[in-house]
Amino acid sequence: MGSLELVRLERPRLAELDELAAYDEEAFGHTGLRSFDIGVVSRAGAVFLGQVDGVVVGSCQLLRTWDEPGTFWIFGFYIRPGWQGQGFGRELLRGVMDEVLRVDGSGIVMSVSPSNRAALDLYLSFGFRVVEEIVDFYGPGEDRYLLRWDSDPEKNEVGRHA
Ligand SMILES: CC(C)(COP(=O)(O)OP(=O)(O)OC[C@H]1O[C@@H](n2cnc3c(N)ncnc32)[C@H](O)[C@@H]1OP(=O)(O)O)[C@@H](O)C(=O)NCCC(=O)NCCS
């Protein structure tokens, strides 16, 4: 099996949006993004696909934050079930972090369920830190940790680890 190639989704067709919305639902259930959301983000921000041998095995979205344009929000980050546990999550995250740096971004935030050990371990191993716990972030019972990473290593030392 090949390594993961990072591809930006540009001017997607409805069929592509529907396919990605189905993968999102598979990964996140009712908190997954819909075709509409993915279409907007592909133009207002960026949607990245992780492809292996031409097959979409994972994806995520990036938006610049309003209050802090040097900081990007990464969301909808997943590797499809049949491709998990083979290092592709690590490759996808490294790829999108490189993209943030390439466009002069200096910070990344994302939200993670406190019970999602696999995702937390992945992000903490890249130097993300938990900066806040937000109750009912995506609706009742959908609490999330807010994680943050800064390109300035001094800032990353402040904060706590889950
Ligand atoms: C979280 C997720 C993206 C990880 O992707 P992956 O391709 O399986 O991860 P990798 O194989 O690249 O592993 C990277 C690291 O993740 C962590 N990890 C992955 N699977 C894990 C598991 N089952 N238990 C604990 N840690 C795990 C480990 O730290 C691992 O590093 P290691 O192999 O050196 O121990 C994937 O499980 C996923 O898409 N889950 C469903 C959607 C989701 O929860 N997305 C995150 C939302 S914030």
Side-chain angles (χ1 to χ4, degrees), residues 63-95:
L63 287 177
R64 278 185 193 271
T65 58
W66 185 272
D67 293 328
E68 244 186 298
T71 298
F72 286 71
W73 192 290
I74 296 183
F75 56 107
F77 185 98
Y78 66 83
I79 294 294
R80 290 170 60 199
W83 285 271
Q84 291 175 8
Q86 300 172 59
F88 295 135
R90 202 172 275 288
E91 285 187 56
L92 181 61
L93 185 57
R94 187 175 296 117

Side-chain angles (χ1 to χ4, degrees), residues 26-28 57 74-81 83-92 110-113 116-123 125-126 144:
E26 182 180 46
F28 303 113
V57 305
I74 296 183
F75 56 107
F77 185 98
Y78 66 83
I79 294 294
R80 290 170 60 199
W83 285 271
Q84 291 175 8
Q86 300 172 59
F88 295 135
R90 202 172 275 288
E91 285 187 56
L92 181 61
M110 55 165 69
S111 71
V112 186
S113 165
N116 192 344
R117 199 66 248 176
L120 273 171
D121 284 354
L122 171 63
Y123 303 142
S125 75
F126 273 78
R144 292 291 184 273

Side-chain angles (χ1 to χ4, degrees), residues 21-86:
Y23 298 158
D24 232 75
E25 186 173 8
E26 182 180 46
F28 303 113
H30 74 279
T31 58
L33 299 177
R34 295 164 302 166
S35 307
F36 172 87
D37 309 312
I38 300 169
V40 171
V41 177
S42 72
R43 286 173 183 260
V47 174
F48 285 100
L49 308 175
Q51 295 190 338
V52 176
D53 300 331
V55 176
V56 175
V57 305
S59 179
C60 71
Q61 294 85 28
L62 269 74
L63 287 177
R64 278 185 193 271
T65 58
W66 185 272
D67 293 328
E68 244 186 298
T71 298
F72 286 71
W73 192 290
I74 296 183
F75 56 107
F77 185 98
Y78 66 83
I79 294 294
R80 290 170 60 199
W83 285 271
Q84 291 175 8
Q86 300 172 59

Side-chain angles (χ1 to χ4, degrees), residues 124 127-130 156-157 159-162:
L124 294 176
F128 282 81
R129 62 200 193 279
V130 178
N156 278 322
E157 280 165 19
R160 61 193 173 88
H161 302 282

